[in-house]
Amino acid sequence: MGNLTGKTALVTGSSRGIGRAIAERLGREGALVAVHYSTGADAAEQVVESIEKEGGRAFAVKAELGVPGDADTLFGGLEPRLKDRTGTTDLNILVNNAGVMAMGAPEEVTPDMFDRMIAVNAKAPFFIVQRALRLIPDGGRIINISSGLTRVASPDQVAYGMAKGALEQIALHFSRHLGKRRITVNSVAPGSTDNGSALFQISEVRETLSQLSTFGEVAEPAAVADVVAFLASEDARWITGAFIDASGGTLLG
Ligand code: NAP
């Protein structure tokens, strides 16, 4: 029995990277996990299989985020599957992890690029939270995956940093809104985390990113997933409205 047995969780963007590690960790703790994806159907199925292989329960749900009607598409897929598996549409844990990142000189950011950053990284999570509130019972958990780049200057990622800054506001304002229901709302900020992309295989890049952390390494996704699992647990019931630095000491200055 894990400490999330009997709970349900939705992890957006859990077909790969940090989201995958979060889904697998919550699955190991006993939660029934909705593995959300957009384009990676096979990858999402593999995550479901890996959770089931460990004795957990999971299913995949598809929705492109950052487009009109995204939250409705997501919950339109989620609710019947929850009902089918549990008899209710209760959602105990929502992890807004899906995100897009882009790099480029601030002078080169176009209105379309900027709009997409905001649409996927800030607007979609807001409306997912708004929509999820119908399903989240008292004592639920909302965890938003931000970035250390809301605290460390990186001019080539200004639009991304702005979008993540907006995302973090959800924890501040919704934690006050939902306190009476004992629903906690927090932000987790990873630093450089090996999400399996080719970037992390380039040794010079990896070395540079490693040196940003006081531990001299880039994170494995599991290091971030463990922090999320703690926030999802009963032990974290008194933490809300918080910004949790999970950057391996990148933000020490
Ligand atoms: P990743 O490996 O690039 O995976 C992104 C995930 O989000 C995928 O599952 C992808 O789904 C989904 N996704 C992306 N755009 C989407 C869209 N428009 N609609 C629906 N789903 C979408 O990401 P990651 O590096 O693990 O990052 C996860 C989170 O941590 C992000 O919010 C990121 O900003 C944050 N973060 C990452 C790092 C890092 O170093 N990795 C550092 C700080 C913060 P499909 O593949 O199925 O399309």
Side-chain angles (χ1 to χ4, degrees):
M1 292 271 283
N3 68 21
L4 298 178
T5 299
K7 308 284 189 194
T8 57
L10 165 64
V11 184
T12 67
S14 50
S15 53
R16 55 193 167 91
I18 295 171
R20 175 179 182 148
I22 294 170
E24 290 177 338
R25 177 69 209 273
L26 299 184
R28 277 202 299 281
E29 293 298 340
L32 168 65
V33 185
V35 176
H36 162 261
Y37 69 97
S38 174
T39 58
D42 290 348
E45 246 354 287
Q46 280 173 25
V47 178
V48 170
E49 278 169 27
S50 104
I51 291 171
E52 287 174 344
K53 221 160 114 186
E54 298 272 323
R57 295 190 307 149
F59 58 83
V61 59
K62 174 182 166 76
E64 182 181 1
L65 304 181
V67 295
D70 50 6
D72 285 338
T73 307
L74 174 59
F75 285 87
L78 177 72
E79 287 179 18
R81 289 175 175 88
L82 281 177
K83 183 108 183 148
D84 187 46
R85 303 293 183 101
T86 68
T88 78
T89 54
D90 284 359
L91 178 68
N92 304 99
I93 302 157
L94 165 63
V95 184
N96 275 311
N97 164 82
V100 282
M101 208 263 280
M103 291 190 72
E107 292 80 359
E108 307 297 327
V109 177
T110 65
D112 282 351
M113 289 156 71
F114 187 87
D115 285 349
R116 179 153 175 78
M117 278 292 135
I118 298 291
V120 178
N121 294 335
K123 184 176 177 181
F126 173 83
F127 285 101
I128 290 171
V129 169
Q130 186 194 64
R131 184 70 177 70
L133 288 181
R134 300 181 206 166
L135 312 185
I136 301 180
D138 291 1
R141 299 281 187 267
I142 298 171
I143 300 156
N144 298 319
I145 307 302
S146 182
S147 165
L149 291 179
T150 60
R151 302 291 190 280
V152 166
S154 177
D156 285 353
Q157 290 160 292
V158 57
Y160 173 77
M162 289 176 71
K164 290 295 192 181
L167 175 73
E168 286 174 14
Q169 293 296 309
I170 292 176
L172 176 65
H173 299 283
F174 274 96
S175 58
R176 175 63 66 84
H177 187 53
L178 299 172
K180 284 198 173 60
R181 294 176 53 195
R182 298 289 165 137
I183 297 171
T184 68
V185 192
N186 294 293
S187 305
V188 172
S192 294
T193 305
D194 185 350
N195 58 9
S197 75
L199 188 73
F200 288 94
Q201 306 313 315
I202 305 169
S203 56
E204 307 83 70
V205 175
R206 194 179 179 94
E207 181 54 25
T208 304
L209 295 175
S210 296
Q211 292 315 318
L212 298 174
S213 158
T214 194
F215 300 131
E217 289 175 27
V218 297
E220 290 304 318
V224 179
D226 289 350
V227 175
V228 173
F230 167 66
L231 287 173
S233 75
E234 180 62 15
D235 284 352
R237 65 193 172 281
W238 213 241
I239 300 175
T240 194
F243 170 87
I244 308 290
D245 171 358
S247 75
T250 298
L251 305 183
L252 295 176

